[in-house]
Structures are given as structure tokens and as C-alpha cells.
Amino acid sequence: MEYAILGLFGVLAIVVVARFAPRLGVASPLILVVVGIGASFVPGVPEIVVPPELILSVVLPPILYAAAVNVPLVDFRRNLKAITGLSVLLVIVSAFITGFALYLILPDLSLPAAIALGAVISPPDAVAATSIGKRLGLPPRLVTVLEGEGLVNDATALVLLRSAIAASAGAVSLGEVAGEFAYAVAAAIVIGIAVGYAMVWVRSKLDDPILNTTLSFTVPFLAFLPAEELNASGVLAVVVAGLITGHNSARYFSSHDRIAERLNWRTAQFVLENGVFLLMGIELRTLIDQVEADDLSVLEAVGLGILASILLMLIRTLFVIPLIAVLRRDQRRAKGQERYLDSALRKLDDREHDEDSSPANTKRIRRFLTRQRADVSFLTSEGLGWRGGAVIAWSGMRGVVTLAAAQSLPTDIPYRPQLILIAFTVAVVTLLGNGGTLPFLIRKLGIVGTDPRADRAELATLINEISDVGLATLDNPDLLAENGGEFSPDVIQRVREDSVMRSESVAEVRSGQPGPHQQHRILRLRVLQAERDALLDARATGAYSSRVMERAQNILDLEESRLAQLSGPSGRQ
């Protein structure tokens, strides 16, 4: 019963903190860590020890999947160099350097065991950084890089941790460690791709959003468990499956499926992510009680944790400097590629007039060149400069994976309680230190996100482009109804007016000036509110069946959602 009550108060604390954190100007994870630390010393609070395998195999997969499914695969691909550098190379470098430093300081600790701890404290947690960045309006590319790093670096760290633990037992050589690492990554990618595409196909055959969403909750575990059984990286397999699912959802899932899945996964992600930060703080007292002063006192372990935090911050900064230099070089090269790609597209236009050319082949070449041109335009318009590099360097906050991985260290390893406390100290110091000062750094650097006017203009252009294609369908002379008959001219005109009105509505939002379409939306929303009130009255009387009431409610919800989207980014009038 005690744990049930604690769970109840935990959920309530998460909601309260999330509600008031924006007013305080502090990210929710930071406040929850402090709340958890305070709660751990409240008399009567039972000792809480969460098995690390519960975090690593039950909580982590859905968190990573929920994040991956919302990261556009195109953005991930365009930032692959930065993400790979931060999530793979930086984690390995950090693990070896910090591990070697701890090996020199703690005489009874073997080098492989020290590197294992280095792997534990190396992967940053992107939750706090991205929540701060999104709230302060960081450029989308910066947010994507931080999210991508957070998705992949856990896989690197956990694979490295497993290899280091095996090496500490004298079971493998350095060459075998490298081979196992490569196998774990390659096998995880294959499994993630297979599970991702297979589940997209299966779920596309379901016509019930409830069944579809329920099945989606199994996807992260369908990727994680087989990968772990085959000694591959389960978390990387989850990330790959999530990226594939998110990329294909618009093509193969219905709008009802996407709406239901989005809401449910955001709720699950919200509870799990914030819950683990609260749990981090609550476990502090238990960690302190486990430390034996004869081997290494609490203060000494905390001091080593602070030292490791400073060292990790220094390593990250020194790594980001050449990384940004490489990215800026890529940006300069991209500017030189623009005119060559434009020239190739113009030649392709001339080639299309050649009767001997293959339309299918020309279409493929055009699609490839257009994608290359878009990638080049992305690099030139959204380059990462030194100010963005400073934000990346300062966003090295560690999280719950660090603590859970530390608790998975072998029980016979020297200084085990102290090593766990060191890892916890690194997580808390970076969360409160870096995370607490990150908003100040962002404001001081004057980094701004996207231009809302430019976004509205781009949206208007896109809507016009897809509307033209859609309207062309109405001009098809072979357009027939399902029964083989012709559509009524009045119906065709009505559908045409719907598309035209949508384009005009978006163009009105683009101008920023209120007009007839905005008045229409405001009036229509008021009508919807009156209809909703009438629906509630009808529900109170019980005059209609529940299934009919639910269907009517869904109709109102979908229309209100559509009007809110046309109102602009905030969805408000």
C-alpha cells in the first residue's frame, strides 16, 4: 500500500510541477530531481530500490520509441554526421578518458571496470535539454541534433558498458570487444528495420484505432527483446524501429490512428520521462546509506563525481569545437554545390523535351536531384554556428540511464556503492548545474528559433502546391463514383470550394491580417461550442445511445482540431 500511495503522489507531483514549471522558467526534470531529493529525506518515506533491469528493459524502450517516432527521418538523416559524432565518438572518448582518470585515482579499481563506469556517466540525457530548448525557441536543427544524440548515445554507452564488464572479468580481448561492438550495432539496425517495417504493415491492416494504438505499445519491446537475446543493442533497435514507424505513419496509417497514437504516446512519454527524474532524486538517501566510509566516504565519492562532471564538460567542449568546424566546412561546400545542382535540374528540364528520354528514368533522376538540392538548401540556411555549438557543449546533462546503468555494475566490483554515488552525483550536478544555467546561456547568446512569418509563408506555399494537385483530380474526365456513376456537379464544386477556402485561409494566416476566413473560423468555433453544449445536454438526458454520442463527439473533435490548425501555430484565435 505504501508504494501505491507513493506512486499516486508521484503522478500528482509530476502534473503539478509540469503545470507550474514554465512560470518559474525552469524545466520540469530539474524541479522533479530536487523534489525527489527532498522527499527521500522525509521521515516515513520507505527505502526505494528500483532494479536497474526494470529501467533498462521496461522503462527505457518506450521512452526512446516515443521520442524516435516523432523525429522526422529526413531531419535525422541530414544531421547524421553531428548525431553520430556526439552519440558514438564522443561517448567512447568520454568513457575512456574519464575511466582512465578514475583508474589512476582509485587504486583497487581495474582499468576495464573504470572504463565501465566511464561508459555509465558518458551519455547525456536529452530530455532536459530539449524541453528547455523548445520552450525558449531554439532553432529546429539544434533541437534535432540534441534529440538525435539522446536517442543513440544510450545504445553506445550500454554496449560499451557490457563489453567493459566482460573485459573486466578477463573474458575478451580488445579486438573481440571491437568486434562485438560492431556486431551489436549492425544487428540492432537490421532488427530495428525488420520490426519497424513488419509492424507498419501489420498495423496498416487494422481499421480500429484502439487496436492499432494498443499494438503500437508492443513495438518497442518487439524490437528490444530479440536484439538483447542476440547480444545486439536493444535500445538502438528500438530507435530504428521508431524512426521507420514515424516516417511511414503518414502513408500507411489513417488520420484516426495517428491522432489516437500521438495522444497516447505523448501521455506515456510524459509520465515515464518525468517519473524517472523524480525517481532519481528519491533514490539519493538509499545510495548514501549504502556507502561505507571505510573504503571511500560519501564526501569523497561526491567530490569525485563533481570532478568527473567537470572533466566530462571539458571533453565535450573540446569535442564540439572541431565538430562545429567540420559542419561549417560542409556548409561552405554546400553553397558551392547549389549552382551545379540548379544547372543539372535545368538540363533535366531540357532533356524532358527529348522524345527519346525515358519518363520513368527522368522522374527518378529529378527526385534524386531535388532531394540533393533540398539537402544543400538546408545546410546553407540552417547551418550550425559557434553559438549553436556553445549550446550543444553546455547541454551535456546526464539522466536516469546513468543511474540505472551504474546499478547494473557487477556486485563484486570494488567501490560499487561509491561508484553508483559518483554516477548519481554526475547526473545531479549536470542536471542542476548545466540544465539550470542553460536558459541563461541561450538568452545571453541571443539564439533565436525559426521566423514565424517565414514558417507561415512556407506553409502557404506547401498548401497551395498540394491543393493544385488535389484540384487536378476534380478535372479528371474519368472521375467516377464508387457505383460507376458520375459525381454531381454541385458536389464537385463544393469539394473544390473546400480546397480553395483552405488555401485562402492559410494565405490569410500568412499575411497576419484578420480577414473573412478568420471571422469564419471564430464564428464556426462558437457554433461548435454551442453544438458541444447541446451534445452534453443530450448525453445528460440519455436520449441517444452511447455509441452514437461518441461518434458525434468525434466529428466535433476532428472539425475543431482542423480549425485550430488553420488558426496558426498556437491553435488559438
Side-chain angles (χ1 to χ4, degrees), residues 51-94:
E53 59 271 12
L54 180 66
I55 298 294
L56 296 177
S57 61
V58 177
V59 177
L60 186 59
I63 289 179
L64 291 176
Y65 178 82
V69 81
N70 289 312
V71 173
L73 186 60
V74 173
D75 291 348
F76 192 90
R77 175 180 59 80
R78 287 173 171 173
N79 293 286
L80 188 60
K81 181 178 291 185
I83 291 173
T84 303
L86 292 169
S87 60
V88 179
L89 294 179
L90 178 57
V91 169
I92 294 175
V93 170
S94 299

Side-chain angles (χ1 to χ4, degrees), residues 287-334:
L287 288 175
I288 291 178
D289 293 341
Q290 292 176 347
V291 174
E292 298 178 4
D294 293 339
D295 296 328
L296 193 68
S297 68
V298 171
L299 291 179
E300 289 174 324
V302 171
L304 286 177
I306 296 175
L307 179 64
S309 301
I310 296 173
L311 182 58
L312 286 168
M313 195 66 244
L314 179 61
I315 295 171
R316 186 175 179 87
T317 301
L318 294 177
F319 186 90
V320 167
I321 291 174
L323 176 64
I324 294 298
V326 170
L327 296 178
R328 287 171 65 87
R329 183 201 62 189
D330 292 344
Q331 183 181 14
R332 291 191 297 269
R333 288 180 176 178

